[in-house]
Amino acid sequence: ADSPEIRRAAQIEEELNNAITAADEKSVVAEQELANCINGSTEELKAFLNQFTVEKYARHALKFDIENLDTLTKKFVSELGGFISAKIKRRLVREDKEVVVILAEINDDNRKKNLDAFCERLFRNALKDLISKTETFFQSLAESVARDISTLQEKLDDAKKPYKRLDDVREQMGNFIAEKKIYACNILEARIVDSKKNFPAKSIRLRDIAKEFDFAISGDDSELEVSSLKYAHEADENSLAIAYCEKDILKTAAQAILTEPRVLPVQKVFIFSGFKELHLAIMQIVRLFIAEGIYPDYEKNFPQSQSNGSMFGTNVAIGEGTFIAPFVSVGENVKIGKNCRIESGVFIGSGTQIGDDVKILSGSRVGVNCHYHYGECGRHKSFCGVGRTIIGDGVQIGANSVIQRGSLSDTVIGAGTLIGNLVEIAHDVKIGEGCLIVSQVGICGNVTIGKRVQILGQAGIKNWVTVGDGAIILAKSGVTKNIRAGQKVSGMFSREHSDELKRLAKSKAKIFKEE
């Protein structure tokens, strides 16, 4: 009898062959539908051109190269056969690294589901390539017609005949071909949309991002797919990393990097925005991720229902023993743990995750749209963010405090942290466990704070600063640089507290001496 290993290998081989067969069948249908559309469009174009081939321009007839149009069409249609399936089969092989991971799944149902999703993703990518190929075909048709019109225009110029009506013909030709191109591409776009209904998009090819926004790609793997857009220090190998400097590029784990044009001896794939356009490029790409359904759209309107005097969006989970006072507003896809207390007037934004035993006092805003601002067309604009707000177990948030959701990553408050009243915590901030943050503190975006840190009243922390474990930031300090673990700082420039006291003493001594 066959061993379990042999039976499993045979089963996997059968599943792979079935996937290839299914891909072939789906490809043939899509390719034939497009071929019929292209043949029909060419016939309509030829009929449309015939009305201009009579003697309307003195002794000069407008003649089009119909034979060339037929040749272009036949060549394109012949290349359609097997175009999609060939691209899919190129990846549906045992040696492909993603196929290896999929086939290693032990559970039969999960393996089939993952393989189907992989094939559907390849199918969508092939359709996108076919859209580009279709656009090129119609461009060749337009160029062929334009050459014929230009030839007649030269003859009319030589004969010193007016050709005002010829400009009208040129415009009509351009509009007709453009309409047919849009119709053909919409057929393929509709198949992409149908595919996403059953298998939502989870990644985008770098090539498609570059084409969408006319960015440049440097590197050998433009087929590389990315599933998220993240800052370089948080990016993994499946992310598109945002790199502001060379250090970001050299340290990130990502294989694909979004940056301004630069040259570095690094074996990675770069996608370049223009100079001084990185923030705008980030927004363009993240909007594309939202449109593809990979990231949530937190700016869309959503329905809420009323319960016990508060408003709740859909898919809200509330743990046992949690009290929610009246006049609370909760967004979509929110999770609130056990034994929490949410007081009146609190707002909890969509996507927020709250642990157990959390207290949020009246008037606070948790998970609000982030204030990530950028410039576009000479105007300041802001982005709501696609990250979540994650509140750990045992956190207490004082009255009228504001915690923003992450822009591209999550805003995280560690377990057991106490936050006072009127505190502002910006997007993508990471705060460790057991911290104490006193009233009227302001923390800018992308700050990382370690465990058991104390930040006293009215202190402010600049964006991208890191504060080590156990540090103490005294009241009214202005933190503009990294703080070491255990360090105690104070003053406008967050100096070592003992050094700041000496500086103040010298200043006072100098004042007394002058008096």
Side-chain angles (χ1 to χ4, degrees):
D2 293 338
S3 65
E5 291 79 9
I6 294 176
R7 289 197 298 272
R8 173 172 165 76
Q11 180 183 0
I12 289 176
E13 189 67 31
E14 182 182 1
E15 290 175 359
L16 199 55
N17 289 334
N18 289 341
I20 292 172
T21 301
D24 280 337
E25 293 173 353
K26 181 179 291 188
S27 300
V28 167
V29 173
E31 290 162 358
Q32 188 59 53
E33 183 179 21
L34 181 60
N36 293 338
C37 175
I38 295 298
N39 286 325
S41 295
T42 302
E43 290 302 316
E44 289 182 44
L45 177 60
K46 287 157 59 177
F48 188 69
L49 294 175
N50 284 335
Q51 63 182 305
F52 299 105
T53 59
V54 297
E55 292 279 350
K56 289 187 177 181
Y57 304 94
R59 293 188 302 274
H60 302 282
L62 180 54
K63 297 181 180 180
F64 294 95
D65 190 351
I66 299 297
E67 184 177 345
N68 184 50
L69 299 183
D70 285 332
T71 301
L72 291 172
T73 301
K74 288 177 182 178
K75 183 175 183 295
F76 179 78
V77 171
S78 67
E79 292 174 352
L80 275 182
F83 178 89
I84 298 175
S85 59
K87 287 186 169 291
I88 296 175
K89 289 176 183 177
R90 197 175 302 150
R91 295 288 307 276
L92 272 179
V93 292
R94 283 182 171 275
E95 295 77 17
D96 187 275
K97 61 181 182 180
E98 288 193 64
V99 174
V100 169
V101 174
I102 292 171
L103 297 183
E105 170 62 51
I106 300 299
N107 184 279
D108 293 344
D109 291 338
N110 289 341
R111 186 172 62 253
K112 184 179 185 308
K113 181 179 178 181
N114 294 338
L115 187 58
D116 288 345
F118 179 65
C119 291
E120 204 67 26
R121 196 181 86 210
L122 297 180
F123 178 68
R124 290 198 295 263
N125 287 342
L127 288 174
K128 291 176 183 177
D129 292 340
L130 194 50
I131 289 174
S132 297
K133 189 176 178 65
T134 302
E135 291 171 342
T136 302
F137 164 73
F138 279 100
Q139 180 64 31
S140 66
L141 289 186
E143 291 172 355
S144 177
V145 172
R147 281 194 299 270
D148 294 334
I149 294 177
S150 297
T151 299
L152 178 59
Q153 182 170 315
E154 291 174 2
K155 292 180 180 179
L156 291 173
D157 286 339
D158 293 339
K160 297 183 180 180
K161 297 289 185 179
Y163 51 85
K164 182 178 179 182
R165 292 185 62 193
L166 200 59
D167 292 334
D168 295 335
V169 174
R170 183 183 288 108
E171 182 179 355
Q172 290 180 57
M173 292 296 115
N175 292 338
F176 184 90
I177 294 174
E179 289 174 5
K180 294 304 176 184
K181 180 184 73 173
I182 292 171
Y183 179 74
C185 291
N186 282 347
I187 290 175
L188 301 175
E189 290 284 1
R191 287 193 172 274
I192 293 175
V193 172
D194 288 341
S195 173
K196 289 179 184 177
K197 291 178 182 178
N198 295 324
F199 297 91
K202 295 184 178 180
S203 61
I204 305 179
R205 287 185 304 181
L206 290 184
R207 182 206 296 182
D208 297 327
I209 295 174
K211 179 190 173 186
E212 182 76 19
F213 306 114
D214 198 24
F215 292 159
I217 292 182
S218 173
D220 298 329
D221 196 359
S222 63
E223 293 291 324
L224 188 66
E225 297 191 28
V226 291
S227 57
S228 60
L229 178 65
K230 292 186 176 295
Y231 299 109
H233 68 284
E234 294 183 320
D236 57 28
E237 62 179 7
N238 297 315
S239 302
L240 176 57
I242 301 167
Y244 293 104
C245 60
E246 293 184 7
K247 182 176 70 174
D248 289 343
I249 295 172
L250 295 173
K251 288 188 175 182
T252 185
Q255 296 303 303
I257 297 169
L258 171 66
T259 187
E260 293 182 344
R262 64 181 80 233
V263 178
L264 281 175
V266 180
Q267 294 298 317
K268 296 191 177 185
V269 183
F270 291 88
I271 182 165
F272 295 125
S273 62
F275 287 105
K276 298 182 180 180
E277 295 179 355
L278 187 55
H279 285 288
L280 180 57
I282 292 169
M283 289 301 100
Q284 289 173 317
I285 294 173
V286 79
R287 287 177 190 141
L288 179 60
F289 273 87
I290 292 172
E292 289 286 324
I294 297 172
Y295 280 155
D297 183 2
Y298 287 126
E299 289 189 322
K300 71 176 183 179
N301 296 324
F302 58 87
Q304 284 185 299
S305 58
Q306 187 175 18
S307 177
N308 297 325
S310 291
M311 302 298 293
F312 297 88
T314 57
N315 195 28
V316 174
I318 301 174
E320 183 180 354
T322 287
F323 167 76
I324 298 180
F327 306 110
V328 170
S329 178
V330 182
E332 294 182 308
N333 302 313
V334 172
K335 180 181 178 182
I336 303 174
K338 301 176 182 178
N339 303 315
C340 296
R341 181 177 180 84
I342 314 296
E343 294 191 350
S344 180
V346 168
F347 171 88
I348 301 174
S350 295
T352 299
Q353 307 286 299
I354 298 175
D356 299 335
D357 302 306
V358 172
K359 293 182 180 179
I360 305 178
L361 305 189
S362 60
S364 284
R365 304 288 187 265
V366 178
V368 300
N369 288 352
C370 75
H371 189 57
Y372 181 102
H373 47 84
Y374 62 100
E376 184 175 5
C377 301
R379 298 177 59 188
H380 291 297
K381 293 191 174 183
S382 64
F383 168 55
C384 70
V386 293
R388 301 172 299 172
T389 305
I390 300 177
I391 309 298
D393 296 342
V395 169
Q396 180 171 312
I397 301 170
N400 296 310
S401 290
V402 176
I403 302 176
Q404 299 177 15
R405 73 160 51 89
S407 62
L408 298 171
S409 64
D410 296 329
T411 300
V412 180
I413 312 297
T417 289
L418 303 183
I419 298 172
N421 304 327
L422 297 169
V423 171
E424 167 79 14
I425 298 175
H427 57 84
D428 304 282
V429 170
K430 307 291 189 294
I431 298 177
E433 299 176 359
C435 293
L436 175 65
I437 302 175
V438 180
S439 299
Q440 297 185 7
V441 164
I443 302 174
C444 291
N446 300 95
V447 168
T448 300
I449 296 172
K451 300 176 182 178
R452 302 177 302 282
V453 173
Q454 297 181 45
I455 307 174
L456 304 187
Q458 296 186 344
I461 303 178
K462 180 180 177 292
N463 57 314
W464 294 103
V465 163
T466 297
V467 180
D469 294 347
I472 299 176
I473 299 172
L474 296 180
K476 296 189 176 183
S477 295
V479 180
T480 60
K481 57 183 181 296
N482 293 344
I483 305 298
R484 301 188 309 274
Q487 190 176 6
K488 186 177 184 180
V489 300
S490 63
M492 184 180 297
F493 301 103
S494 60
R495 297 184 178 93
E496 188 78 39
H497 184 52
S498 58
D499 294 339
E500 179 67 8
L501 291 177
K502 291 176 184 178
R503 188 191 69 81
L504 290 173
K506 287 181 180 180
S507 298
K508 289 181 180 179
K510 183 178 180 180
I511 293 172
F512 290 145
K513 185 176 181 181
E514 289 176 352
E515 291 179 350

